[in-house]
Amino acid sequence: MKVLILNGSPRGERSNTLIVTKAFLEGMLGSGKELETEFVTVTKYHIDHCKGCFCCWQNTPGECIIKDDMKELLQKYIQADYIIWSFPLYYYGMPSLLKAFMDRLLPINLPYIGEKEDGTNFHPSRYDLTKQQHILISTCGFCSVENNYEALLKQFDILTKGNYVKILCPEGELLQVPQLKPRKDSYLTSVRAAGEELLKHQCILPETKGELEALLVPAKQFIEMANTSWKAI
Ligand SMILES: Cc1cc2nc3c(=O)[nH]c(=O)nc-3n(C[C@H](O)[C@H](O)[C@H](O)COP(=O)(O)O)c2cc1C
């Protein structure tokens, strides 16, 4: 099975989120299932913005007219069994580099407008991607998920038809603090468990979910530390 890791952090290899993602992937690999992994660090690719011309729906069905790396990336996307979206939260959504990638997924869809039972609309897929599973891994700078991640989660709910698991890590900058290594290690142990569970049970078990929802350090302590460190600069 193919796992595509989309590293959407502008920090590239120095991404906090990538630390979590690598642990999750270790867990997946530890499940014993045969996996072929491919990392795509979006900063290393040339991905132009969608022009909105709809040529991929009309003139050249399924193909974008822009000649850049997206042609190769679309193939990787279509062929993947698991897609790990790894990125920091930027303004309650995804960084623009990754949003540019997402917009360029348009050739995967057909132009027709379908209607769901609840009266809402969708575009059917050009390919059978029903077995594809999405994993959203994101760190952020605040200590709360509430009033922070709602818009992004709604986008993923709609995009994947609810077919995704998530790991959200508030206080993400703490993953780089050497003094907090023991706490980081225990968190990453839970992340590894989550990766293994997904492949063995097709879900993250409630106990592991609970561990992953606990903050790295209590909110009050985090805010004091963060504000002190900014003043020190
Ligand atoms: C432009 C910008 C926007 C951000 N917006 C948010 C935000 O809306 N909510 C939040 O909690 N953190 C926000 N952050 C903090 C990052 O999500 C956080 O530092 C994250 O851990 C960085 O991860 P990375 O190293 O994987 O890029 C923002 C950071 C930047 C640079």
Side-chain angles (χ1 to χ4, degrees):
M1 281 187 293
K2 292 187 178 180
V3 186
L4 176 65
I5 304 104
L6 298 170
N7 171 11
S9 170
R11 291 177 178 168
E13 304 296 331
R14 294 181 301 109
S15 158
N16 297 335
T17 316
L18 194 59
I19 298 172
V20 182
T21 299
K22 283 183 173 167
F24 189 85
L25 196 60
E26 278 167 27
M28 288 178 87
L29 291 165
S31 70
K33 299 254 158 66
E34 209 169 297
L35 299 176
E36 202 181 302
T37 60
E38 171 124 47
F39 277 88
V40 168
T41 300
V42 291
T43 50
K44 292 186 183 164
Y45 287 84
H46 179 189
I47 304 170
D48 275 344
H49 290 281
C50 173
K51 293 180 192 294
C53 63
F54 290 126
C55 281
C56 64
W57 280 358
Q58 202 153 18
N59 308 29
T60 54
E63 272 208 41
C64 182
I65 54 158
I66 303 171
K67 302 291 170 238
D68 62 5
D69 293 335
M70 217 37 218
K71 192 178 168 83
E72 170 195 344
L73 295 177
L74 265 183
Q75 287 313 309
K76 293 186 197 295
Y77 187 92
I78 292 163
Q79 286 163 14
D81 299 291
Y82 292 93
I83 298 177
I84 304 185
W85 299 81
S86 171
F87 60 89
L89 189 68
Y90 270 19
Y91 279 96
Y92 319 109
M94 66 180 69
S96 54
L97 281 168
L98 193 61
K99 182 60 167 57
F101 171 93
M102 184 178 267
D103 291 350
R104 294 285 303 285
L105 294 178
L106 199 68
I108 289 179
N109 294 327
L110 291 166
Y112 316 110
I113 299 178
E115 210 177 346
K116 294 188 209 166
E117 276 177 11
D118 63 3
T120 62
N121 301 139
F122 68 99
H123 288 297
S125 178
R126 201 178 286 279
Y127 306 93
D128 181 7
L129 302 177
T130 44
K131 294 211 178 78
Q132 216 170 43
Q133 167 126 46
H134 295 263
I135 298 131
L136 164 61
I137 301 182
S138 178
T139 65
C140 72
F142 289 159
C143 43
S144 70
V145 167
E146 289 75 30
N147 220 24
N148 212 7
Y149 270 106
E150 285 85 350
L152 182 79
L153 295 183
K154 188 69 190 171
Q155 185 176 34
F156 270 74
D157 282 343
I158 298 170
L159 180 83
T160 70
K161 300 182 184 70
N163 179 25
Y164 74 107
V165 297
K166 59 178 183 292
I167 295 187
L168 306 179
C169 176
E171 306 177 345
E173 294 299 334
L174 296 184
L175 295 168
Q176 308 279 2
V177 177
Q179 291 87 338
L180 291 173
K181 189 173 177 305
R183 177 65 187 106
K184 170 184 161 184
D185 289 348
S186 73
Y187 178 76
L188 293 182
T189 300
S190 304
V191 174
R192 267 182 222 103
E196 190 168 341
E197 287 165 10
L198 182 70
L199 287 211
K200 286 188 173 159
H201 309 286
Q202 286 74 54
C203 67
I204 303 175
L205 298 179
E207 195 185 330
T208 309
K209 261 192 195 165
E211 289 164 11
L212 292 173
E213 279 166 12
L215 288 174
L216 294 172
V217 303
K220 201 169 171 332
Q221 188 188 341
F222 169 74
I223 292 170
E224 270 173 29
M225 280 165 60
N227 289 345
T228 307
S229 81
W230 284 115
K231 266 188 220 138
I233 292 170

